Amino acid sequence: MKTYAEILIYHWRKCAILMIIGGIAGFLLFYILPHAYSASVYLTTAIDHNRTGSLDELEEDRMLGIAEDIINSDFVLQSVCNHSEACSVENFRKDARIQRTIDYWSLTVSNDDAVMAVTQARLWLETAYEALAESQNHARQAEMLEIRSAGLESCIQDSVNGIPPVVCDEPDFETLLNQLQKTAEETTQERLLSHGISSAILFGPMNLDHIDLRQNGSSHGFLTFFGSTIGLFLFLFSIFFLNESSAKLQSPGVDQSELSDSEI
């Protein structure tokens, strides 16, 4: 009876042919399967601790989390879709992903079309950057108004105490109150428009030249190797399993040659 090694050596040509056919089939499968692409753009961030003082990790996460909410808001995504055909916020969210590390965000968009993936990723970064800058501008305006409110409150307190409001522009107490109320309303409005973002968050310049484009799914090499492996398994199955089954079927329960001799 032949050993397994002898069987493999004897049928090596069959093994090579099956592996080559499997490898070619896997290589061609790459062009048949639908392809998807992912484009990633990056936005660097930092916190100005000179303005905020010492912050723990949770406080920093909350500050950056508000900025992330703006990047991923319906307003920003709708603005991106306004420049893209057959795009909706719901579908864009399915194809988009935002990830944050210590000092930067990565904005990734997946699409069957590589050009569309790159275009939407660029639009997302540009729109988000503009929205963040506008929100921060409102946050700075709110801070300036709060400083002005504090000055008006001081003027009102001095007026109540009978001290002439020398440093105040308003001539009388009633005017001071009206100006304080108006400033408070403007502060509230600016805070709403800032979406709660902190002006202490620093954003690096947009680098639209740094776009990572990747093809999702299996590569040529993987599919070729996978096809060759399938060919090898088919060879082993046909050689050992089928041959053993055939041998069992051909083995009679009684030796026919001995039976013929006894009958004679």
Side-chain angles (χ1 to χ4, degrees):
M1 182 178 179
K2 292 183 178 180
T3 63
Y4 288 149
E6 290 175 335
I7 295 175
L8 288 174
I9 294 174
Y10 181 78
H11 294 283
W12 71 269
R13 291 182 180 85
K14 182 178 181 180
C15 177
I17 292 173
L18 286 175
M19 291 185 68
I20 292 173
I21 293 175
I24 294 174
F27 184 84
L28 296 177
L29 185 63
F30 175 83
Y31 296 98
I32 299 175
L33 293 175
H35 296 161
Y37 300 88
S38 294
S40 298
V41 292
Y42 303 93
L43 177 63
T44 57
T45 61
I47 296 178
D48 187 359
H49 291 284
N50 293 325
R51 300 184 59 187
T52 63
S54 179
L55 298 175
D56 57 31
E57 185 176 353
L58 180 59
E59 291 172 328
E60 291 184 358
D61 284 342
R62 286 175 177 173
M63 289 179 62
L64 295 174
I66 294 174
E68 182 174 341
D69 291 340
I70 295 175
I71 295 174
N72 206 30
S73 64
D74 289 344
F75 170 77
V76 170
L77 300 187
Q78 185 60 58
S79 298
V80 175
C81 285
N82 289 340
H83 295 83
S84 301
E85 297 181 358
C87 176
S88 65
V89 174
E90 293 76 13
N91 292 333
F92 191 86
R93 286 191 184 278
K94 296 177 182 178
D95 299 330
R97 183 177 71 258
I98 180 171
Q99 292 179 317
R100 177 166 60 90
T101 60
I102 297 175
D103 57 352
Y104 72 91
W105 279 293
S106 64
L107 284 63
T108 303
V109 178
S110 299
N111 198 287
D112 295 338
D113 186 356
V115 176
M116 183 59 68
V118 172
T119 301
Q120 289 185 337
R122 287 172 60 96
L123 282 172
W124 191 13
L125 178 60
E126 292 173 342
T127 307
Y129 196 90
E130 181 180 351
L132 290 169
E134 184 177 355
S135 296
Q136 277 199 321
N137 182 54
H138 288 295
R140 295 188 185 98
Q141 292 294 328
E143 291 174 357
M144 294 176 61
L145 289 170
E146 286 173 351
I147 294 174
R148 176 171 173 78
S149 294
L152 289 172
E153 289 174 357
S154 177
C155 288
I156 292 174
Q157 186 64 41
D158 290 342
S159 298
V160 172
N161 295 333
I163 302 175
V166 178
V167 297
C168 300
D169 298 333
E170 287 70 18
D172 52 50
F173 182 78
E174 184 178 355
T175 304
L176 284 173
L177 286 177
N178 292 335
Q179 188 62 39
L180 178 61
Q181 181 179 0
K182 180 181 178 182
T183 304
E185 293 174 354
E186 292 177 354
T187 302
T188 302
Q189 182 65 22
E190 292 294 335
R191 283 298 180 191
L192 290 175
L193 294 175
S194 71
H195 302 99
I197 196 172
S198 172
S199 60
I201 300 179
L202 306 176
F203 300 100
M206 285 189 297
N207 186 3
L208 297 177
D209 294 329
H210 184 197
I211 299 179
D212 291 337
L213 180 63
R214 299 179 300 276
Q215 182 173 319
N216 301 332
S218 303
S219 62
H220 275 108
F222 174 80
L223 290 176
T224 302
F225 174 77
F226 182 75
S228 298
T229 304
I230 294 297
L232 176 61
F233 280 120
L234 288 175
F235 165 74
L236 296 176
F237 177 81
S238 63
I239 290 299
F240 296 115
F241 183 78
L242 295 181
N243 281 354
E244 288 182 3
S245 299
S246 178
K248 290 179 180 179
L249 291 175
Q250 293 177 1
S251 299
V254 180
D255 192 335
Q256 297 295 330
S257 59
E258 292 181 359
L259 180 57
S260 300
D261 294 337
S262 63
E263 291 177 351
I264 294 173

mmCIF file of all heavy atoms in Angstrom, residues 207-246:
data_model
loop_
_atom_site.group_PDB
_atom_site.id
_atom_site.type_symbol
_atom_site.label_atom_id
_atom_site.label_comp_id
_atom_site.label_asym_id
_atom_site.label_seq_id
_atom_site.Cartn_x
_atom_site.Cartn_y
_atom_site.Cartn_z
ATOM 1 N N ASN A 207 -5.164 70.825 5.895
ATOM 2 C CA ASN A 207 -4.183 70.250 4.982
ATOM 3 C C ASN A 207 -4.928 69.374 3.989
ATOM 4 O O ASN A 207 -5.055 68.163 4.167
ATOM 5 C CB ASN A 207 -3.135 69.450 5.754
ATOM 6 C CG ASN A 207 -2.011 68.956 4.864
ATOM 7 O OD1 ASN A 207 -1.981 69.251 3.663
ATOM 8 N ND2 ASN A 207 -1.075 68.207 5.432
ATOM 9 N N LEU A 208 -5.429 69.994 2.928
ATOM 10 C CA LEU A 208 -6.226 69.263 1.946
ATOM 11 C C LEU A 208 -5.369 68.400 1.031
ATOM 12 O O LEU A 208 -5.908 67.613 0.243
ATOM 13 C CB LEU A 208 -7.051 70.250 1.112
ATOM 14 C CG LEU A 208 -8.082 71.053 1.908
ATOM 15 C CD1 LEU A 208 -8.788 72.038 0.997
ATOM 16 C CD2 LEU A 208 -9.087 70.131 2.584
ATOM 17 N N ASP A 209 -4.054 68.552 1.111
ATOM 18 C CA ASP A 209 -3.173 67.704 0.298
ATOM 19 C C ASP A 209 -2.928 66.356 0.968
ATOM 20 O O ASP A 209 -2.513 65.404 0.308
ATOM 21 C CB ASP A 209 -1.830 68.406 0.074
ATOM 22 C CG ASP A 209 -1.984 69.662 -0.766
ATOM 23 O OD1 ASP A 209 -2.886 69.682 -1.622
ATOM 24 O OD2 ASP A 209 -1.216 70.619 -0.560
ATOM 25 N N HIS A 210 -3.182 66.280 2.274
ATOM 26 C CA HIS A 210 -2.965 65.025 3.004
ATOM 27 C C HIS A 210 -4.288 64.268 3.085
ATOM 28 O O HIS A 210 -5.044 64.395 4.042
ATOM 29 C CB HIS A 210 -2.418 65.315 4.400
ATOM 30 C CG HIS A 210 -2.091 64.071 5.164
ATOM 31 N ND1 HIS A 210 -1.910 64.048 6.528
ATOM 32 C CD2 HIS A 210 -1.907 62.779 4.757
ATOM 33 C CE1 HIS A 210 -1.637 62.825 6.926
ATOM 34 N NE2 HIS A 210 -1.645 62.033 5.868
ATOM 35 N N ILE A 211 -4.567 63.514 2.046
ATOM 36 C CA ILE A 211 -5.776 62.695 1.992
ATOM 37 C C ILE A 211 -5.359 61.248 1.749
ATOM 38 O O ILE A 211 -4.672 60.943 0.773
ATOM 39 C CB ILE A 211 -6.725 63.166 0.872
ATOM 40 C CG1 ILE A 211 -7.159 64.616 1.115
ATOM 41 C CG2 ILE A 211 -7.950 62.261 0.803
ATOM 42 C CD1 ILE A 211 -8.067 65.158 0.045
ATOM 43 N N ASP A 212 -5.753 60.378 2.653
ATOM 44 C CA ASP A 212 -5.444 58.951 2.521
ATOM 45 C C ASP A 212 -6.593 58.252 1.815
ATOM 46 O O ASP A 212 -7.724 58.264 2.306
ATOM 47 C CB ASP A 212 -5.214 58.318 3.897
ATOM 48 C CG ASP A 212 -3.937 58.810 4.555
ATOM 49 O OD1 ASP A 212 -3.042 59.261 3.815
ATOM 50 O OD2 ASP A 212 -3.849 58.758 5.794
ATOM 51 N N LEU A 213 -6.288 57.642 0.682
ATOM 52 C CA LEU A 213 -7.290 56.886 -0.074
ATOM 53 C C LEU A 213 -6.926 55.412 -0.005
ATOM 54 O O LEU A 213 -5.831 55.013 -0.384
ATOM 55 C CB LEU A 213 -7.348 57.356 -1.530
ATOM 56 C CG LEU A 213 -8.351 56.635 -2.431
ATOM 57 C CD1 LEU A 213 -9.777 56.868 -1.946
ATOM 58 C CD2 LEU A 213 -8.197 57.071 -3.877
ATOM 59 N N ARG A 214 -7.857 54.626 0.487
ATOM 60 C CA ARG A 214 -7.627 53.183 0.627
ATOM 61 C C ARG A 214 -8.762 52.422 -0.046
ATOM 62 O O ARG A 214 -9.904 52.904 -0.092
ATOM 63 C CB ARG A 214 -7.555 52.776 2.102
ATOM 64 C CG ARG A 214 -6.442 53.425 2.872
ATOM 65 C CD ARG A 214 -6.451 52.988 4.313
ATOM 66 N NE ARG A 214 -7.695 53.332 4.975
ATOM 67 C CZ ARG A 214 -7.934 54.515 5.516
ATOM 68 N NH1 ARG A 214 -7.028 55.474 5.471
ATOM 69 N NH2 ARG A 214 -9.098 54.760 6.100
ATOM 70 N N GLN A 215 -8.426 51.255 -0.548
ATOM 71 C CA GLN A 215 -9.435 50.376 -1.137
ATOM 72 C C GLN A 215 -9.854 49.351 -0.106
ATOM 73 O O GLN A 215 -9.009 48.629 0.450
ATOM 74 C CB GLN A 215 -8.889 49.683 -2.384
ATOM 75 C CG GLN A 215 -9.918 48.792 -3.069
ATOM 76 C CD GLN A 215 -9.400 48.259 -4.391
ATOM 77 O OE1 GLN A 215 -8.764 48.969 -5.143
ATOM 78 N NE2 GLN A 215 -9.681 47.012 -4.659
ATOM 79 N N ASN A 216 -11.127 49.285 0.160
ATOM 80 C CA ASN A 216 -11.642 48.344 1.146
ATOM 81 C C ASN A 216 -11.762 46.952 0.537
ATOM 82 O O ASN A 216 -11.841 46.785 -0.678
ATOM 83 C CB ASN A 216 -13.003 48.798 1.662
ATOM 84 C CG ASN A 216 -12.934 50.170 2.294
ATOM 85 O OD1 ASN A 216 -11.900 50.578 2.808
ATOM 86 N ND2 ASN A 216 -14.044 50.894 2.255
ATOM 87 N N GLY A 217 -11.839 45.963 1.389
ATOM 88 C CA GLY A 217 -12.016 44.593 0.916
ATOM 89 C C GLY A 217 -10.695 43.901 0.679
ATOM 90 O O GLY A 217 -9.611 44.366 1.049
ATOM 91 N N SER A 218 -10.770 42.755 0.020
ATOM 92 C CA SER A 218 -9.602 41.907 -0.199
ATOM 93 C C SER A 218 -8.761 42.428 -1.351
ATOM 94 O O SER A 218 -9.262 43.010 -2.301
ATOM 95 C CB SER A 218 -10.051 40.463 -0.501
ATOM 96 O OG SER A 218 -10.860 39.973 0.549
ATOM 97 N N SER A 219 -7.464 42.191 -1.258
ATOM 98 C CA SER A 219 -6.529 42.635 -2.275
ATOM 99 C C SER A 219 -6.272 41.519 -3.283
ATOM 100 O O SER A 219 -6.710 40.376 -3.120
ATOM 101 C CB SER A 219 -5.219 43.068 -1.623
ATOM 102 O OG SER A 219 -4.616 41.974 -0.958
ATOM 103 N N HIS A 220 -5.509 41.866 -4.347
ATOM 104 C CA HIS A 220 -5.124 40.864 -5.335
ATOM 105 C C HIS A 220 -4.406 39.692 -4.684
ATOM 106 O O HIS A 220 -4.716 38.527 -4.941
ATOM 107 C CB HIS A 220 -4.186 41.505 -6.371
ATOM 108 C CG HIS A 220 -4.908 42.203 -7.468
ATOM 109 N ND1 HIS A 220 -4.941 43.568 -7.572
ATOM 110 C CD2 HIS A 220 -5.641 41.736 -8.504
ATOM 111 C CE1 HIS A 220 -5.645 43.904 -8.635
ATOM 112 N NE2 HIS A 220 -6.087 42.823 -9.212
ATOM 113 N N GLY A 221 -3.415 40.030 -3.859
ATOM 114 C CA GLY A 221 -2.592 38.984 -3.253
ATOM 115 C C GLY A 221 -3.380 38.037 -2.378
ATOM 116 O O GLY A 221 -3.184 36.820 -2.429
ATOM 117 N N PHE A 222 -4.275 38.610 -1.554
ATOM 118 C CA PHE A 222 -5.049 37.763 -0.655
ATOM 119 C C PHE A 222 -5.958 36.813 -1.429
ATOM 120 O O PHE A 222 -6.034 35.618 -1.118
ATOM 121 C CB PHE A 222 -5.873 38.625 0.301
ATOM 122 C CG PHE A 222 -6.809 37.826 1.169
ATOM 123 C CD1 PHE A 222 -6.345 37.168 2.293
ATOM 124 C CD2 PHE A 222 -8.165 37.721 0.848
ATOM 125 C CE1 PHE A 222 -7.203 36.421 3.092
ATOM 126 C CE2 PHE A 222 -9.026 36.979 1.634
ATOM 127 C CZ PHE A 222 -8.545 36.335 2.763
ATOM 128 N N LEU A 223 -6.663 37.346 -2.438
ATOM 129 C CA LEU A 223 -7.574 36.495 -3.207
ATOM 130 C C LEU A 223 -6.815 35.439 -4.001
ATOM 131 O O LEU A 223 -7.291 34.307 -4.149
ATOM 132 C CB LEU A 223 -8.423 37.355 -4.141
ATOM 133 C CG LEU A 223 -9.474 38.250 -3.456
ATOM 134 C CD1 LEU A 223 -10.182 39.109 -4.484
ATOM 135 C CD2 LEU A 223 -10.487 37.405 -2.692
ATOM 136 N N THR A 224 -5.638 35.786 -4.515
ATOM 137 C CA THR A 224 -4.828 34.801 -5.241
ATOM 138 C C THR A 224 -4.373 33.691 -4.304
ATOM 139 O O THR A 224 -4.449 32.499 -4.634
ATOM 140 C CB THR A 224 -3.611 35.485 -5.881
ATOM 141 O OG1 THR A 224 -4.063 36.515 -6.765
ATOM 142 C CG2 THR A 224 -2.778 34.489 -6.661
ATOM 143 N N PHE A 225 -3.884 34.080 -3.126
ATOM 144 C CA PHE A 225 -3.463 33.082 -2.136
ATOM 145 C C PHE A 225 -4.645 32.239 -1.686
ATOM 146 O O PHE A 225 -4.521 31.011 -1.532
ATOM 147 C CB PHE A 225 -2.831 33.794 -0.943
ATOM 148 C CG PHE A 225 -2.490 32.880 0.199
ATOM 149 C CD1 PHE A 225 -1.366 32.063 0.149
ATOM 150 C CD2 PHE A 225 -3.301 32.819 1.316
ATOM 151 C CE1 PHE A 225 -1.068 31.209 1.203
ATOM 152 C CE2 PHE A 225 -3.010 31.972 2.372
ATOM 153 C CZ PHE A 225 -1.884 31.162 2.313
ATOM 154 N N PHE A 226 -5.803 32.884 -1.464
ATOM 155 C CA PHE A 226 -6.983 32.145 -1.031
ATOM 156 C C PHE A 226 -7.411 31.135 -2.085
ATOM 157 O O PHE A 226 -7.762 29.989 -1.767
ATOM 158 C CB PHE A 226 -8.117 33.134 -0.744
ATOM 159 C CG PHE A 226 -9.378 32.486 -0.241
ATOM 160 C CD1 PHE A 226 -9.477 32.023 1.052
ATOM 161 C CD2 PHE A 226 -10.480 32.351 -1.081
ATOM 162 C CE1 PHE A 226 -10.639 31.424 1.512
ATOM 163 C CE2 PHE A 226 -11.634 31.752 -0.631
ATOM 164 C CZ PHE A 226 -11.727 31.294 0.665
ATOM 165 N N GLY A 227 -7.381 31.538 -3.366
ATOM 166 C CA GLY A 227 -7.741 30.611 -4.441
ATOM 167 C C GLY A 227 -6.789 29.445 -4.535
ATOM 168 O O GLY A 227 -7.202 28.296 -4.741
ATOM 169 N N SER A 228 -5.482 29.709 -4.371
ATOM 170 C CA SER A 228 -4.501 28.622 -4.398
ATOM 171 C C SER A 228 -4.712 27.661 -3.238
ATOM 172 O O SER A 228 -4.567 26.438 -3.393
ATOM 173 C CB SER A 228 -3.085 29.202 -4.351
ATOM 174 O OG SER A 228 -2.832 30.010 -5.480
ATOM 175 N N THR A 229 -5.070 28.204 -2.088
ATOM 176 C CA THR A 229 -5.329 27.350 -0.918
ATOM 177 C C THR A 229 -6.544 26.460 -1.153
ATOM 178 O O THR A 229 -6.534 25.265 -0.790
ATOM 179 C CB THR A 229 -5.533 28.219 0.333
ATOM 180 O OG1 THR A 229 -4.405 29.072 0.518
ATOM 181 C CG2 THR A 229 -5.711 27.351 1.569
ATOM 182 N N ILE A 230 -7.571 27.015 -1.755
ATOM 183 C CA ILE A 230 -8.748 26.212 -2.081
ATOM 184 C C ILE A 230 -8.378 25.090 -3.045
ATOM 185 O O ILE A 230 -8.828 23.938 -2.918
ATOM 186 C CB ILE A 230 -9.860 27.096 -2.688
ATOM 187 C CG1 ILE A 230 -10.383 28.088 -1.644
ATOM 188 C CG2 ILE A 230 -11.004 26.238 -3.224
ATOM 189 C CD1 ILE A 230 -11.035 27.448 -0.455
ATOM 190 N N GLY A 231 -7.535 25.403 -4.036
ATOM 191 C CA GLY A 231 -7.077 24.376 -4.965
ATOM 192 C C GLY A 231 -6.317 23.271 -4.264
ATOM 193 O O GLY A 231 -6.480 22.085 -4.590
ATOM 194 N N LEU A 232 -5.488 23.633 -3.281
ATOM 195 C CA LEU A 232 -4.745 22.624 -2.514
ATOM 196 C C LEU A 232 -5.691 21.733 -1.723
ATOM 197 O O LEU A 232 -5.520 20.503 -1.695
ATOM 198 C CB LEU A 232 -3.760 23.327 -1.584
ATOM 199 C CG LEU A 232 -2.966 22.429 -0.631
ATOM 200 C CD1 LEU A 232 -2.110 21.426 -1.412
ATOM 201 C CD2 LEU A 232 -2.094 23.261 0.311
ATOM 202 N N PHE A 233 -6.695 22.332 -1.083
ATOM 203 C CA PHE A 233 -7.652 21.530 -0.317
ATOM 204 C C PHE A 233 -8.453 20.599 -1.230
ATOM 205 O O PHE A 233 -8.746 19.453 -0.859
ATOM 206 C CB PHE A 233 -8.591 22.438 0.474
ATOM 207 C CG PHE A 233 -8.004 22.963 1.740
ATOM 208 C CD1 PHE A 233 -7.865 24.330 1.946
ATOM 209 C CD2 PHE A 233 -7.577 22.102 2.738
ATOM 210 C CE1 PHE A 233 -7.318 24.818 3.115
ATOM 211 C CE2 PHE A 233 -7.034 22.583 3.912
ATOM 212 C CZ PHE A 233 -6.891 23.944 4.104
ATOM 213 N N LEU A 234 -8.812 21.074 -2.407
ATOM 214 C CA LEU A 234 -9.518 20.202 -3.349
ATOM 215 C C LEU A 234 -8.648 19.023 -3.755
ATOM 216 O O LEU A 234 -9.133 17.893 -3.892
ATOM 217 C CB LEU A 234 -9.931 21.006 -4.579
ATOM 218 C CG LEU A 234 -11.071 22.013 -4.382
ATOM 219 C CD1 LEU A 234 -11.286 22.811 -5.666
ATOM 220 C CD2 LEU A 234 -12.360 21.305 -3.978
ATOM 221 N N PHE A 235 -7.363 19.289 -3.955
ATOM 222 C CA PHE A 235 -6.442 18.207 -4.312
ATOM 223 C C PHE A 235 -6.349 17.178 -3.188
ATOM 224 O O PHE A 235 -6.448 15.961 -3.424
ATOM 225 C CB PHE A 235 -5.058 18.788 -4.620
ATOM 226 C CG PHE A 235 -3.970 17.762 -4.656
ATOM 227 C CD1 PHE A 235 -3.842 16.881 -5.729
ATOM 228 C CD2 PHE A 235 -3.062 17.660 -3.609
ATOM 229 C CE1 PHE A 235 -2.844 15.918 -5.759
ATOM 230 C CE2 PHE A 235 -2.061 16.710 -3.631
ATOM 231 C CZ PHE A 235 -1.955 15.830 -4.707
ATOM 232 N N LEU A 236 -6.158 17.649 -1.958
ATOM 233 C CA LEU A 236 -6.052 16.727 -0.832
ATOM 234 C C LEU A 236 -7.338 15.942 -0.637
ATOM 235 O O LEU A 236 -7.308 14.741 -0.328
ATOM 236 C CB LEU A 236 -5.705 17.510 0.444
ATOM 237 C CG LEU A 236 -4.350 18.221 0.448
ATOM 238 C CD1 LEU A 236 -4.185 19.033 1.721
ATOM 239 C CD2 LEU A 236 -3.213 17.208 0.325
ATOM 240 N N PHE A 237 -8.468 16.615 -0.831
ATOM 241 C CA PHE A 237 -9.747 15.936 -0.685
ATOM 242 C C PHE A 237 -9.893 14.832 -1.736
ATOM 243 O O PHE A 237 -10.322 13.714 -1.426
ATOM 244 C CB PHE A 237 -10.879 16.956 -0.813
ATOM 245 C CG PHE A 237 -12.250 16.350 -0.742
ATOM 246 C CD1 PHE A 237 -12.826 16.037 0.471
ATOM 247 C CD2 PHE A 237 -12.966 16.088 -1.911
ATOM 248 C CE1 PHE A 237 -14.094 15.482 0.532
ATOM 249 C CE2 PHE A 237 -14.227 15.535 -1.852
ATOM 250 C CZ PHE A 237 -14.796 15.225 -0.629
ATOM 251 N N SER A 238 -9.559 15.148 -2.980
ATOM 252 C CA SER A 238 -9.718 14.169 -4.058
ATOM 253 C C SER A 238 -8.753 13.003 -3.920
ATOM 254 O O SER A 238 -9.086 11.875 -4.269
ATOM 255 C CB SER A 238 -9.521 14.853 -5.422
ATOM 256 O OG SER A 238 -8.198 15.348 -5.532
ATOM 257 N N ILE A 239 -7.553 13.264 -3.419
ATOM 258 C CA ILE A 239 -6.540 12.218 -3.329
ATOM 259 C C ILE A 239 -6.817 11.274 -2.169
ATOM 260 O O ILE A 239 -6.843 10.041 -2.324
ATOM 261 C CB ILE A 239 -5.135 12.834 -3.201
ATOM 262 C CG1 ILE A 239 -4.738 13.483 -4.514
ATOM 263 C CG2 ILE A 239 -4.110 11.764 -2.810
ATOM 264 C CD1 ILE A 239 -4.671 12.539 -5.688
ATOM 265 N N PHE A 240 -7.026 11.834 -0.989
ATOM 266 C CA PHE A 240 -7.110 10.991 0.198
ATOM 267 C C PHE A 240 -8.537 10.510 0.473
ATOM 268 O O PHE A 240 -8.774 9.315 0.611
ATOM 269 C CB PHE A 240 -6.573 11.754 1.418
ATOM 270 C CG PHE A 240 -5.118 12.074 1.297
ATOM 271 C CD1 PHE A 240 -4.690 13.377 1.205
ATOM 272 C CD2 PHE A 240 -4.165 11.068 1.249
ATOM 273 C CE1 PHE A 240 -3.359 13.685 1.082
ATOM 274 C CE2 PHE A 240 -2.829 11.362 1.127
ATOM 275 C CZ PHE A 240 -2.410 12.670 1.036
ATOM 276 N N PHE A 241 -9.502 11.429 0.528
ATOM 277 C CA PHE A 241 -10.847 11.027 0.896
ATOM 278 C C PHE A 241 -11.492 10.167 -0.190
ATOM 279 O O PHE A 241 -12.016 9.087 0.087
ATOM 280 C CB PHE A 241 -11.709 12.265 1.161
ATOM 281 C CG PHE A 241 -13.105 11.938 1.611
ATOM 282 C CD1 PHE A 241 -13.364 11.552 2.920
ATOM 283 C CD2 PHE A 241 -14.167 11.993 0.719
ATOM 284 C CE1 PHE A 241 -14.650 11.251 3.323
ATOM 285 C CE2 PHE A 241 -15.453 11.685 1.118
ATOM 286 C CZ PHE A 241 -15.703 11.317 2.429
ATOM 287 N N LEU A 242 -11.440 10.625 -1.425
ATOM 288 C CA LEU A 242 -12.073 9.877 -2.506
ATOM 289 C C LEU A 242 -11.367 8.564 -2.778
ATOM 290 O O LEU A 242 -12.001 7.546 -3.057
ATOM 291 C CB LEU A 242 -12.127 10.733 -3.773
ATOM 292 C CG LEU A 242 -13.011 11.992 -3.674
ATOM 293 C CD1 LEU A 242 -13.000 12.734 -5.004
ATOM 294 C CD2 LEU A 242 -14.428 11.621 -3.286
ATOM 295 N N ASN A 243 -10.027 8.563 -2.715
ATOM 296 C CA ASN A 243 -9.284 7.327 -2.956
ATOM 297 C C ASN A 243 -9.566 6.289 -1.885
ATOM 298 O O ASN A 243 -9.700 5.099 -2.161
ATOM 299 C CB ASN A 243 -7.787 7.611 -3.023
ATOM 300 C CG ASN A 243 -7.382 8.180 -4.374
ATOM 301 O OD1 ASN A 243 -8.203 8.260 -5.282
ATOM 302 N ND2 ASN A 243 -6.121 8.563 -4.510
ATOM 303 N N GLU A 244 -9.654 6.746 -0.623
ATOM 304 C CA GLU A 244 -9.944 5.803 0.457
ATOM 305 C C GLU A 244 -11.354 5.241 0.318
ATOM 306 O O GLU A 244 -11.594 4.050 0.540
ATOM 307 C CB GLU A 244 -9.781 6.502 1.805
ATOM 308 C CG GLU A 244 -8.325 6.771 2.163
ATOM 309 C CD GLU A 244 -8.202 7.415 3.526
ATOM 310 O OE1 GLU A 244 -9.260 7.583 4.179
ATOM 311 O OE2 GLU A 244 -7.082 7.734 3.941
ATOM 312 N N SER A 245 -12.309 6.116 -0.066
ATOM 313 C CA SER A 245 -13.681 5.635 -0.259
ATOM 314 C C SER A 245 -13.745 4.635 -1.398
ATOM 315 O O SER A 245 -14.428 3.606 -1.312
ATOM 316 C CB SER A 245 -14.609 6.820 -0.555
ATOM 317 O OG SER A 245 -14.614 7.733 0.524
ATOM 318 N N SER A 246 -13.012 4.903 -2.474
ATOM 319 C CA SER A 246 -12.986 3.979 -3.606
ATOM 320 C C SER A 246 -12.346 2.657 -3.229
ATOM 321 O O SER A 246 -12.800 1.588 -3.637
ATOM 322 C CB SER A 246 -12.240 4.629 -4.778
ATOM 323 O OG SER A 246 -12.168 3.736 -5.864
#
